[in-house]
Amino acid sequence: MTEYLSYPTIALTTMQASPKSAPNLTSKLVQMFANKLSLGSAVVMAIAIACSTPALPARASLFDGPVDRLPSVQRDSLRNGQTVVTGEKGKYVARVLITASPDAVWQVLTDYANLYKFIPNMSSSKILENRGNRKVIEQVDTRQVFLISIVSRTKLAIQETDRQQIDFRLLDGDLSQMEGYWKMEPVSTVPRRPPTQVLITYTVNAQPNSSTPTDAFYSIFKDALGDTLQAIKQEVARRG
């Protein structure tokens, strides 16, 4: 233990020996005494704070999945089972979140010969060429607009990347342009846990031919995207 009483004893002896220098020396010794007290108090306080403050838990790592990177409104809609469609003038991005395995979703997306059985307004779907992950398919869309029945045919070249993506482009048909891709991304509902869902993203650029009113085409096409993705979601669930 520090003997603080030694400082005033020395100061008193010095004052008796040299009266003129005593005031200066006394001030210095008092300052040293104060500094030592201050340092001791600071150390004691630091130890007390360290002992009384609970250890903070390690900060959780950011969960940065494909759904989490989307705007909050889209995230909420997808997690509530809705389809999200954005874009304009024929350039759209449509998304839906499905609780299923990638295999189950892939089997539905690539079942080209049977798409017409569950996709709304699709009246025909055929595989014209099959070269493994490269295919050519023909689809016919039939829909009623007011009192007029509109039939649209497209012949598409398909390039598959197994359980990840399906790229397509127009080879022939009743549109002036159609290209894009289907993308599959596994989604975990809990960080660092195995994925239990699949996010489907459909990106497309579809443009009508010169004889079709563009505004009407864009409106009809965009509305159909939500119905198409919901139909795919329901078909995946039906097949179990």
Side-chain angles (χ1 to χ4, degrees):
M1 179 179 294
T2 303
E3 297 182 2
Y4 295 111
L5 292 177
S6 61
Y7 290 109
T9 301
I10 295 173
L12 181 58
T13 304
T14 307
M15 287 174 64
Q16 294 174 351
S18 178
K20 292 184 178 180
S21 61
N24 292 335
L25 181 56
T26 301
S27 300
K28 292 180 180 180
L29 289 175
V30 170
Q31 185 64 42
M32 290 172 60
F33 178 72
N35 289 343
K36 192 163 186 178
L37 281 176
S38 178
L39 177 60
S41 300
V43 171
V44 171
M45 185 176 291
I47 294 173
I49 292 174
C51 293
S52 62
T53 303
L56 295 176
R59 185 178 180 182
S61 59
L62 179 65
F63 188 35
D64 189 28
V67 176
D68 298 273
R69 292 191 292 266
L70 297 174
S72 59
V73 174
Q74 296 187 30
R75 290 199 305 266
D76 294 341
S77 296
L78 289 170
R79 287 168 177 160
N80 288 330
Q82 302 173 24
T83 300
V84 174
V85 181
T86 59
E88 60 181 352
K89 296 182 179 180
K91 299 179 180 180
Y92 305 111
V93 177
R95 294 183 174 93
V96 69
L97 189 61
I98 300 178
T99 301
S101 68
D103 286 344
V105 176
W106 184 258
Q107 289 175 7
V108 171
L109 288 180
T110 58
D111 191 10
Y112 307 114
N114 292 301
L115 292 179
Y116 72 96
K117 294 180 180 180
F118 56 88
I119 298 295
N121 301 307
M122 187 177 291
S123 57
S124 174
S125 183
K126 302 176 182 178
I127 301 176
L128 303 180
E129 297 180 25
N130 189 344
R131 300 178 182 179
N133 62 348
R134 294 177 179 269
K135 298 176 176 66
V136 175
I137 65 173
E138 182 185 64
Q139 297 176 338
V140 177
D141 181 271
T142 304
R143 66 182 64 241
Q144 196 75 19
V145 180
F146 299 110
L147 299 177
I148 303 175
S149 180
I150 299 177
V151 179
S152 176
R153 182 186 69 89
T154 55
K155 182 178 179 182
L156 303 172
I158 301 292
Q159 170 71 54
E160 299 172 349
T161 302
D162 191 29
R163 291 168 182 79
Q164 296 181 40
Q165 188 163 310
I166 303 170
D167 295 273
F168 60 87
R169 61 182 178 86
L170 183 68
L171 296 177
D172 188 22
D174 297 324
L175 302 180
S176 66
Q177 183 178 2
M178 186 172 182
E179 60 186 2
Y181 58 85
W182 294 83
K183 185 177 182 180
M184 290 173 44
E185 296 176 278
V187 175
S188 298
T189 56
V190 179
R192 290 185 290 276
R193 294 288 182 87
T196 57
Q197 299 178 315
V198 175
L199 176 65
I200 297 179
T201 302
Y202 179 50
T203 302
V204 62
N205 178 13
Q207 302 299 328
N209 57 31
S210 57
S211 62
T212 303
T214 55
D215 290 342
F217 173 83
Y218 292 150
S219 177
I220 293 172
F221 192 91
K222 185 175 183 178
D223 291 342
L225 291 178
D227 295 338
T228 296
L229 266 67
Q230 282 295 331
I232 291 172
K233 179 179 180 178
Q234 293 170 10
E235 181 65 14
V236 172
R238 188 190 69 79
R239 298 187 186 188

